[in-house]
Amino acid sequence: MTLKKFLPFFSYALHPIFVPLLGTLFFVWLDSRYMTFGQYMVLFLQVIIITFFLPIAFFYLLRTFGKIDSIMLSDLSHRKIPLVLHICLLSVLIQKSITADLFPSLHYFFMGGIISAAVAFLLLYTKIKASIHMIGISALTVFAIGLSLKNELNTVSLVAFLVVLNGLVASSRLVMKAHTNKELLIGFLCGVLPQVGLLYYWL
């Protein structure tokens, strides 16, 4: 199997819908302390239900009504409703469950996700299709770096792995002809800049 044929795998394995859960896993691994098993379960259940199962249910509903064609959201017009839904669901999560006083780092990670999604949504009106895949993986990379700095952990291998994944995701989107280099760069910046800006509030 050639690398070119294997690259699309990363578009599915690192689909943006998995990013909130991956961010939560990083939080539990690198930052959470003194949490009971029950608290971990409640945290994961909240994140999985609100950021995974509900979006999947809405996806099938929208697909039934012909509002979207695939989970990759290749058409500009098909991205608007999922992005608004993503913003609404994350807003509920950070207001009701992942609050700044309970989980500051995770709270601001999700807030950065809201800002990134809002920017991507607004860019649609200028006919710019920012790569949501790049938004997700680049935001996750900055979050991991922030957690490492906050807790003074040596996670060079993890960060290097995430940087490589950024390259693989970008390459997969190019191979699948889903984005141009410009759209990938815009997506990368949309993911990185809000996370970097919000580091001040929790680092």
Side-chain angles (χ1 to χ4, degrees), residues 20-203:
L21 179 57
L22 290 172
T24 305
L25 287 171
F26 282 172
F27 165 75
V28 170
W29 178 24
L30 301 173
D31 195 35
S32 67
R33 296 169 183 168
Y34 312 116
M35 290 178 65
T36 65
F37 179 77
Q39 289 173 320
Y40 283 126
M41 288 299 98
V42 170
L43 175 63
F44 278 113
L45 279 174
Q46 290 172 337
V47 172
I48 290 171
I49 291 172
I50 293 178
T51 69
F52 184 78
F53 287 121
L54 282 179
I56 289 292
F58 276 107
F59 163 75
Y60 283 108
L61 181 64
L62 291 171
R63 190 173 183 181
T64 299
F65 287 98
K67 297 297 182 180
I68 57 176
D69 54 357
S70 75
I71 200 168
M72 291 302 173
L73 304 176
S74 55
D75 191 279
L76 276 174
S77 62
H78 293 174
R79 292 174 162 235
K80 293 180 181 178
I81 296 177
L83 281 172
V84 170
L85 175 65
H86 181 68
I87 292 170
C88 292
L89 291 176
L90 283 187
S91 297
V92 170
L93 192 63
I94 66 172
Q95 288 180 17
K96 302 298 183 180
S97 302
I98 315 298
T99 57
D101 56 331
L102 290 177
F103 311 102
S105 56
L106 194 58
H107 173 87
Y108 286 108
F109 171 64
F110 288 146
M111 182 175 289
I114 292 173
I115 296 172
S116 296
V119 173
F121 176 79
L122 293 174
L123 286 173
L124 293 176
Y125 290 93
T126 64
K127 306 300 181 183
I128 296 176
K129 187 174 69 171
S131 172
I132 301 175
H133 279 76
M134 288 308 299
I135 289 176
I137 190 63
S138 62
L140 194 63
T141 303
V142 175
F143 185 52
I145 293 172
L147 291 175
S148 303
L149 293 173
K150 177 187 177 184
N151 297 290
E152 299 180 352
L153 301 172
N154 183 2
T155 58
V156 174
S157 298
L158 172 62
V159 172
F161 178 66
L162 287 170
V163 170
V164 171
L165 286 181
N166 275 261
L168 290 172
V169 169
S171 298
S172 73
R173 303 309 287 155
L174 288 173
V175 166
M176 297 176 72
K177 302 186 185 303
H179 289 288
T180 63
N181 286 321
K182 178 182 177 181
E183 291 168 346
L184 292 172
L185 177 59
I186 292 172
F188 177 82
L189 293 175
C190 286
V192 167
L193 295 180
Q195 295 296 330
V196 171
L198 290 171
L199 286 177
Y200 170 80
Y201 295 98
W202 65 270
L203 194 59

